[in-house]
Amino acid sequence: MIHHCTIGQALPTGAVIREIAAEKDLPAGFDAELAGKTVTIRRKLAPEEMIMGLGQAVGGVNRRGQRLRAWNSDDFSHTENKECLYGSHNFVLFINGAESVGLFLDDPGEIFYDLGFTHPDEAVITACNGGLDVYVLRGGTPAEVCRELRRLTGASYLPPFWGLGYIQSRWGYASERDVTEIVENHRSRGIPIDCVSLDIDYMDHYRDFTWDRRHFPDLKGFAAAQKADGIRLVPIIDAGIPVDENDTAYVSGREQDVYCKKADGSDFTAAVWPGRCVFPDFLRPETRSWFASQYRTLLDAGIEGFWNDMNEPAFFYSDEGIAAAYAVADELRGQNLPLEAHDRLKGAFTSLNNSREDYRRFCHTYRGGKVNHERVHNLYGWGLTAATAQALREDAPGERRLLFSRSTIIGAHRDGGMWMGDNSSWWSHVLLNLKMLPSLNMCGFLFCGADLGGFSCDTSPELLLRWLQLGAFTPLMRNHSAHHTRLQEIWRFDNWEAMRGAVRVRYALMPWLYAQLMRAGLTDSLLFRPLCFDYPEDGEARQVEDQMLLGEGAMIAPVYEANARARHIYLPEDMLLIRFRDADDLDTLPLKKGWHRVRLEANEFPLLLRKNTLLPLAGPAERSRDIDQRHFRVLGWCDRAVETPFYQDDGLTAAPTLAEGNALLTADPAERTGRLVTREGEWATDVSRVIWE
Ligand code: MIG
């Protein structure tokens, strides 16, 4: 039952690219037991042991004490008690002093994690699918174990440079006019922007691969005009295809027989936005190719990026489910409804969404055999992402394109990034955003970010501002909100200039952030790490979960509380505090290792930089393509001549390599200018702001 170091035989979550050292059993400290179809893995936890990984979940970076579950779920209320969200990332990292061990459970069914929830000193993992592929990863340091996971399951998706630009989004943008208005309001105020994402409202009656011809009479011409202005449109694609004889995608898919089936062989249907839908059986490569081919019209219209939604898959109800609910309503109609009867009536309807029964009603075809959906549920989102990635690859084999998805599993990190789903405009979700970053990175998802400002509920000017200040550092920087909530575009708020400052800082940092992301991706490293990864001996650093190390040599420490005008920041070594207000408005202060209370007015946010590390800032730009990547103003605190590794490429070509992008920033106290050294040449940098000690 414990397969070591073999190819992901069961299902295609992990394409193994190289074998790792073979083992016969689970290593010491673990026990495994098989009873019927249930596999239980137990581990006694040492007093100081930490448990990390598990990607997308509420709670801390150290997950000890939590109870979690791998079951991809469409749940728009990310409260503390939630055991699962949209993605299942079955990589658990146990860190016990100098010893760290990772388990990767390559299984697409439900898995339960009791990580010291029932008994504080015991972790229990239970998988119910019968066979379970467990990969034991023991590389040494936590970062090395995470690298092993990437070597096993594949390298992370990397976006084009423009994918790091600011994206404005909202459920509700429905026309060329809406998009034009949004872009104009950013441009006229000098708020940088690169993309507008289009939610389901752009579609014709919520049908995938269509658009509303009244509101987008000439999508191709419009997309081209926007692109000329440096704006890309990024439309949403959902999983369900409407059962509609007039729908081209539906008819072609039926002809090719690509939809998931019920036991009687008929197509399974459930309702989503357009009403009754069928669901492509993405486990079949033929289906993925068919789905990929459906993107043709949108690609021909000039679309270069997509976001994938509802791919858990999410259902509103099935015919069977709603019939049963109506039956309860009929039975109870006209009756007095005491508590139990009222609960039954209400429950009959409120339990329709994403019901377990519906997931059991249909099958996939996998390698010629039938598999009930229940057993492979967590793979569905991957399939949609893989199909979209295929479409983008076939359309532009030589280019990187933008893709992020809602429902994911380890393996999907090769094909696209992800956003964190339907958060809320709550202060606690700023912190959740921060804490989820390293956990997702550990599982291979580097290109990620949350809905800045919050998706549901009304945001406030201060909340959006503080969230943008965090988003300035996340690879995906997207402001997104739900319909019927307060309008959330930057320019609508009194403090829009402070918000613009955060976006401008992002654009000034973009070449550097891109370099950090690419270097992390190309070396199978983490972009965001908890402090204990780099400072394992530092007892204080172990405790800190509201600051994250970023790339090579930097650390973020966002403000995530209302009305806060200062925060405590722990420096695990001497660092330079950079307090940003705007791209050209900042101050710096060398600080010693230890705790500091740092003043941060509402319009200020910090970046901490290790001593003898150089940070390049680009000049102001309102589009990613306008960023001058040759002339930088460099910040740093140095006590000697330094060389900081950097990375630059054309931001677009597929299959980038570290060697091609390798670059260097240098500064020397004896010279008045520093240098940017790339394979293409050398450029002088302005090092007048470097502090020499
Ligand atoms: O259940 O397309 O997470 O970003 O705006 C709502 C409408 C469906 C959920 C996505 C959200 C998107 C919304 N979608």
Side-chain angles (χ1 to χ4, degrees), residues 630 646 648 661-664 676-683:
R630 298 302 189 204
F646 194 51
Q648 282 198 332
N662 226 354
L664 212 58
L676 159 67
V677 185
T678 78
R679 280 163 54 105
E680 279 155 29
E682 279 190 28
W683 288 265

Side-chain angles (χ1 to χ4, degrees), residues 414-425:
R414 299 177 299 228
D415 289 324
M418 55 177 283
W419 90 101
M420 296 175 186
D422 298 344
N423 57 13
S424 303
S425 297

Side-chain angles (χ1 to χ4, degrees), residues 171 199-200 236 273 307 309-310 406 419 422 455 480:
W171 182 358
D199 208 321
I200 48 174
I236 195 170
W273 305 111
W307 54 305
D309 192 20
M310 305 294 272
R406 192 170 75 174
W419 90 101
D422 298 344
F455 176 74
H480 180 57

